[in-house]
Amino acid sequence: SAWLCSCASAWLCSCPSSAGAAGAAGGEGVAVKKKKKPKPPPRPKTPPRPKTDAEKFAALMEAEEWEKAAHFAATSPSQELRTRETVVAFQAAKATDGGKPPVLRYFGALLALKGGLTHDEGVALATPMVAQGQLPLLQRWIGEGRLRPSEQLADVLCDAERGGPAAALPMYREAGVDEKATLCLVETGDLEALREESRKEDPASKPDWLALLGRLCAARGARRARPLLDALYALPPPPTPPDDPTDALEVASYNIELAHAPPPMPPLEAIVGTLLDHGGLPLATELATNSLELGSGEISGGLQTRLLAAHLAEDRAAGEKLLDADTFPEADPQATAQTCEELGLYARAIRLHPSADEVGRLICESAVDVSTAVEAIGRMGPPQGLAAVGRLVDTDTPEAAAKAVAAAIALHGTLGHSELASLFRPKEAGDNRERALLDYLRARVAAAGDDAALTFEYLGACCAAGQVDELERVTRDRSIAYDAVQACTLLREAGGAAGKDPRPLINVCDRHNLFGELATALLARRQLRHLMLYVRSVNRAASAPVCAALLEAGCEAARVAEVVSPLHAPSAPAVLGSMLDAECQADVVASLLEPLDGTHLAQDDSLAASLIEAAAGRNKLPLLKPWLDARKAEGLPPGAPNSEAIEGAIKQIKKWW
């Protein structure tokens, strides 16, 4: 220990820094420097938990990366994403860019795989394809093994209007679903195959065509029975019995033919009744009317009554047409009238049971429609008819007024125009008779739309009454004739509500190409916003004459550019010429031409040349330089007409500068 202490003291004395430290420790003013403690090493960070396939797929779907999501779901290593839920997720997704639907992208990725689609995927793919008429493509994929045949897939294929049952038949047979396979044969009208199936159970048995028709209608609907009925109509007639019943050879030959002949077509009455029982009214009506036209006498009066009642119950208009045409002449009038009363068709009931007292009582009732009242008044003489119309007007109800107006327009030649005018003449503004007069004129215009004078009279009455919506309807209806200049002048000078609503004026000018008059009129009314909406949404081809008329009327070029923007490509050269003639500023020209990008140039090979010609002809080609540079920057196909025109214009501008 003493030796170690002496050695340590000698070493400390030989080291300057140590000597200073020792001196400080000994009170000689030298401090001893303490060593710093080393920092502890940083703790290792916990690595993040890896994402599962489901989480990766959900992230791709949320980011709307449909192509990546479809490829990932189809080729995921664990295949856990190939489920019904994935198909539903892609079906619910919508492509925001207007491209291919995400579900088709997914199915395309699945079809690219060697293993093909699963059962659920195949059914989900087949359903929309059958609805779109893509049955041949589905059959090809099934033959290539990309879709797995099954009963459910056959059910989907069977829904196809053309070729569906034939495509589903082998699948049903492979799945052992004999009932559905038989229905496919019935629906295709393969009578020979049905006879073969019937012989499998009993060689002597024959198919019951009527029973098979009922089964098909119950399972698939009566509308799918057309092929079967066509096949039944094509059946050969039954063998003719022998002339001599005692001739054994002829009788034996007849029996052999009868045994091998197919069952005859069922009675037409039974077929029509079966179709009616299963909702096949259109097909049943077609068969019945064809039989009645031929005069075969196979449709009884009771069945005709039933057909007529079914039409009246399903579609009143169609039933009334059948009544008008007397399609079913043997239908029971009493039963038909009762059906009409139960369905509220009082007009038909009155015609089937005519009675003067009943007619007089019913024409003023709200349950009786307008046509019934008109017909009833038409059966009267002029004095009684005028009295009936006056009674309807005096009833002072909207329903009665409508009947009076309808009777007046239908019978004005019989009842007299002056007498009817005196009935409808309003006593004060705004009363019911004024409304009746408008209705009367409207009905006359509807009945005689080619009478321009009558139409102009009606337009004037509508302007006086403030009927703006009716003005808009009449001027928009292209079946109604009127003098365009007179109508335009009337609407431009109209006051009140008719002078504030620009729709009638827009209709007239749009129909008769009076674009300049429309522009100046709306400019004077300070309704350029309506003109802008018209040019943008209704008739973009009117932008050129509208632009010229506005500039000629003194409208500012910037405001005109706002009206005709976005520019209609076919009208762009004319609009540009008008703007340049008005000394339009360069920034206005640039903003006006900006929407005409490469898409428009691809659709019209002469667009660029026309614009350049319009500017160059006015010595203002440099104003197109920003637009030309932008189109060149987009990259145009080399050798295209627009490309050559743009390149030439740019070179010409550089040469001028």
Side-chain angles (χ1 to χ4, degrees), residues 332-346:
D332 184 4
Q334 181 67 28
T336 304
Q338 182 64 30
T339 301
C340 291
E341 291 179 9
E342 293 174 356
L343 296 174
L345 298 175
Y346 298 101

Side-chain angles (χ1 to χ4, degrees), residues 5-262:
C5 291
S6 62
C7 289
S9 299
W11 179 76
L12 289 173
C13 292
S14 65
C15 182
S17 60
S18 299
E28 296 179 3
V30 180
V32 179
K33 188 176 182 181
K34 296 182 180 180
K35 296 182 178 180
K36 293 183 179 180
K37 294 182 180 181
K39 293 182 180 180
R43 295 182 180 180
K45 295 183 179 179
T46 304
R49 179 179 63 85
K51 292 184 179 180
T52 63
D53 289 349
E55 292 174 340
K56 295 177 182 179
F57 173 71
L60 291 174
M61 293 292 287
E62 185 177 358
E64 297 185 357
E65 297 185 9
W66 311 124
E67 197 70 36
K68 294 182 180 180
H71 181 74
F72 182 76
T75 61
S76 59
S78 60
Q79 295 292 296
E80 65 177 9
L81 296 177
R82 294 187 62 177
T83 61
R84 178 63 182 166
E85 290 74 13
T86 300
V87 176
V88 172
F90 276 108
Q91 288 175 339
K94 303 296 181 182
T96 56
D97 56 352
K100 184 189 296 184
V103 66
L104 295 184
R105 298 175 187 265
Y106 177 57
F107 284 131
L110 293 175
L111 290 172
L113 302 177
K114 294 183 178 180
L117 275 66
T118 65
H119 171 265
D120 291 338
E121 292 168 347
V123 173
L125 173 61
T127 301
M129 292 190 66
V130 167
Q132 297 173 3
Q134 299 292 333
L135 181 62
L137 182 58
L138 278 174
Q139 290 179 288
R140 192 186 76 183
W141 287 344
I142 294 172
E144 294 174 353
R146 298 186 182 185
L147 275 74
R148 301 178 184 178
S150 65
E151 179 183 354
Q152 291 77 12
L153 182 58
D155 292 339
V156 176
L157 297 182
C158 201
D159 289 335
E161 291 289 343
R162 295 184 179 179
L169 178 59
M171 295 188 188
Y172 284 137
R173 285 178 171 170
E174 183 179 353
V177 189
D178 297 334
E179 175 68 19
K180 293 184 178 180
T182 302
L183 287 178
C184 287
L185 293 176
V186 176
E187 188 171 350
T188 56
D190 194 345
L191 303 185
E192 189 60 33
L194 291 171
R195 293 180 64 195
E196 291 294 334
E197 284 201 355
S198 179
R199 294 193 193 103
K200 291 179 182 179
E201 300 179 358
D202 183 2
S205 67
K206 293 185 177 182
D208 185 347
W209 304 133
L210 191 62
L212 291 174
L213 175 63
R215 287 168 56 187
L216 174 63
C217 293
R220 306 290 297 165
R223 63 184 182 87
R224 307 296 288 266
R226 172 74 69 177
L228 175 61
L229 294 176
D230 292 341
L232 291 177
Y233 271 102
L235 283 173
T240 305
D243 296 333
D244 186 3
T246 62
D247 189 338
L249 183 60
E250 290 187 7
V251 171
S253 176
Y254 168 73
N255 290 333
I256 292 174
E257 291 182 8
L258 188 63
H260 289 84

Side-chain angles (χ1 to χ4, degrees), residues 416-504:
H417 175 73
S418 59
E419 289 80 0
L420 291 172
S422 63
L423 291 176
F424 289 122
R425 185 176 295 112
K427 298 179 180 179
E428 58 182 11
D431 65 356
N432 291 332
R433 294 176 182 268
E434 181 183 60
R435 183 63 193 177
L437 176 62
L438 290 173
D439 293 341
Y440 172 69
L441 289 175
R442 179 173 66 247
R444 287 289 308 274
V445 168
D450 56 347
D451 191 339
L454 181 62
T455 304
F456 183 73
E457 179 184 356
Y458 181 48
L459 292 176
C462 290
C463 287
Q467 299 291 326
V468 179
D469 291 337
E470 187 63 13
L471 283 171
E472 193 277 332
R473 184 193 68 82
V474 173
T475 54
R476 174 170 40 86
D477 192 344
R478 295 186 176 271
S479 64
I480 300 177
Y482 53 83
D483 186 279
V485 177
Q486 287 184 347
C488 182
T489 303
L490 173 67
L491 295 172
R492 292 181 65 174
E493 297 175 355
K500 297 179 181 179
D501 196 322
R503 294 178 299 163

Side-chain angles (χ1 to χ4, degrees), residues 576-598:
L576 178 62
S578 299
M579 298 294 285
L580 294 178
D581 290 339
E583 302 297 332
C584 179
Q585 297 296 326
D587 56 343
V588 177
V589 174
S591 63
L592 187 66
L593 297 179
E594 184 178 359
L596 299 178
D597 54 9

